[in-house]
Amino acid sequence: MRLFVVVLCFIMFNSCKEEYKRSINVTKVNIEPIFVDSTLSVRAIDFNDEYLYYGSSDHIGKRGLNKEFKINLSELNVNSNKNHFKHILNYEEKPLHFRAIKEVEGNLFIISIANPARLYKIYRKSDKPKLVYEEVNEKVFYDSMDFWNDQEGIAIGDPTDNCMSIIITRDGGETWTKLSCEDLPKAKEGEAAFAASDTNIAIIGDHTWVATGGKASRILYSSDKGKTWKVFETPITQGKETTGIYSLDFYDEQNGFAIGGDYTKPNDTLNNKIRTSDGGETWQVVANGKGPGYRSCVQFIPNSNAKELVATGFKGIDYSNDGGDSWRHLSDEGFYTIRFLNDSVAYAAGKGRVSKLTFR
């Protein structure tokens, strides 16, 4: 009889046991450092089931993760210890600076900012980068990268001519082709983009949105994976080199959100948050004069019906549960960029650290 009771209790305990589920409305965030390094300045991260990848001011890195999202032994290499792989890529004996990174089916793509722009592919189960694209130009500066699928991807950068720089691959990243300005909207004077969080590009299916910023801040849009393009105006603050959209995200083909402002005036909350419900054709200012000021990254929380958003920047972390109409300040701890694993857990990176964030 005692054995039966023990077994019954065990079955009842396990059948009732559930994984952690956050509250309907987030009220706080738990921040757990994954690793801390005062030399880090991380504006680009990506991850899969095994690793978290990041691009820093003088190297790229890979951190092993297990299913509990703790440090684990990873495939290690030169410039590494038992938990952390670092790879320094030099050009003329100076380390390249990476602000855009993407993991695709175990392969890693990274592109450096400034002249020369160098895009590398690091193959699955390998640590030897292959140079797959190089662009030499005094004006070159690539800001962000993303993929539609395992064969087709895009990277965007500041104008070197009279249009935004856009390069595209159709063969799994083996080769990249820069689009002609004849096939792109003409850039306005002072229009460029910000390499603040690797979130200038949003992709849903075949649809692609690219955010520009600076003296002009607009949305470039393609419905066919970068084959044709049109441009939409936005009401976000603009007119100076430091103003405009710093980050955008789309929840589905219709609902998108963009954030930015002026990083030299981080407490200014006027005209720095905009929302669309028609696929980016028109945008409306929301939470004007309230909520977060300048932020470098915004992301929809998964499975939130386009209602829940998290914005990060060097001034802290903010949350909205009504599509950006109102905001709750969750933390003063600053991060440049954030990516969600699910509706409760995200990874964030910034100056000197990469952390795991749990929203409650």
Side-chain angles (χ1 to χ4, degrees), residues 140-144 155-160 163-167 192-193 210:
V140 71
F141 198 105
Y142 278 89
D143 305 282
S144 188
I156 67 101
D158 297 352
T160 58
C163 66
M164 293 294 292
S165 295
I166 296 182
I167 60 174
V210 172

Side-chain angles (χ1 to χ4, degrees), residues 102-103 208 263 339:
K102 188 66 178 178
E103 184 272 339
T208 310
Y263 82 88
R339 298 292 186 281

Side-chain angles (χ1 to χ4, degrees), residues 37-38 40-42 334-336 349-353:
D37 182 341
S38 62
L40 286 175
S41 178
V42 180
F335 294 95
Y336 298 141
K351 185 174 178 58
R353 67 202 180 284

Side-chain angles (χ1 to χ4, degrees), residues 101-322:
I101 190 166
K102 188 66 178 178
E103 184 272 339
V104 182
E105 298 294 329
N107 299 313
L108 187 65
F109 295 89
I110 50 173
I111 188 169
S112 64
I113 60 173
N115 186 26
R118 308 192 101 200
L119 198 163
Y120 295 90
K121 179 178 182 179
I122 301 179
Y123 295 89
R124 183 189 298 107
K125 304 299 182 181
S126 172
D127 60 7
K128 295 180 180 179
K130 176 184 177 182
L131 182 64
V132 292
Y133 180 81
E134 182 177 44
E135 185 173 341
V136 179
N137 190 301
E138 291 182 357
K139 297 180 180 180
V140 71
F141 198 105
Y142 278 89
D143 305 282
S144 188
M145 178 168 47
D146 207 344
F147 277 70
W148 293 284
N149 50 56
D150 63 357
Q151 293 297 305
E152 298 173 291
I154 179 175
I156 67 101
D158 297 352
T160 58
D161 197 350
N162 63 354
C163 66
M164 293 294 292
S165 295
I166 296 182
I167 60 174
I168 287 179
T169 181
R170 306 285 185 191
D171 61 2
E174 294 297 315
T175 61
W176 295 74
T177 301
K178 188 170 185 178
L179 299 186
S180 168
C181 284
E182 295 180 358
D183 300 321
L184 290 168
K186 184 178 180 180
K188 291 186 176 182
E189 182 180 357
E191 184 175 20
F194 296 111
S197 61
D198 195 17
T199 51
N200 307 76
I201 305 169
I203 289 176
I204 300 291
D206 294 348
H207 300 266
T208 310
W209 299 264
V210 172
T212 70
K215 293 183 179 180
S217 187
R218 304 185 294 172
I219 298 293
L220 305 185
Y221 168 71
S222 173
S223 63
D224 51 12
K225 294 187 288 188
K227 296 180 178 68
T228 61
W229 293 86
K230 59 178 68 174
V231 64
F232 303 132
E233 301 291 333
T234 79
I236 202 163
T237 183
Q238 51 197 284
K240 296 170 54 180
E241 291 182 351
T242 55
T243 58
I245 299 171
Y246 279 74
S247 174
L248 88 162
D249 192 24
F250 269 74
Y251 184 84
D252 53 33
E253 293 179 6
Q254 298 300 314
N255 295 286
F257 199 92
I259 202 165
D262 185 344
Y263 82 88
T264 67
K265 299 177 180 179
N267 295 322
D268 193 343
T269 60
L270 293 174
N271 301 317
N272 74 313
K273 300 169 288 292
I274 60 175
R275 181 177 65 208
T276 181
S277 59
D278 60 8
E281 290 193 33
T282 62
W283 296 78
Q284 297 78 42
V285 173
V286 297
N288 204 19
K290 56 186 178 181
Y294 163 78
R295 294 293 183 268
S296 57
C297 189
V298 66
Q299 296 283 279
F300 281 103
I301 294 180
N303 305 315
S304 66
N305 197 30
K307 294 297 184 183
E308 294 181 277
L309 293 150
V310 170
T312 61
F314 60 78
K315 281 286 187 174
I317 304 169
D318 299 270
Y319 164 80
S320 173
N321 67 353
D322 54 13

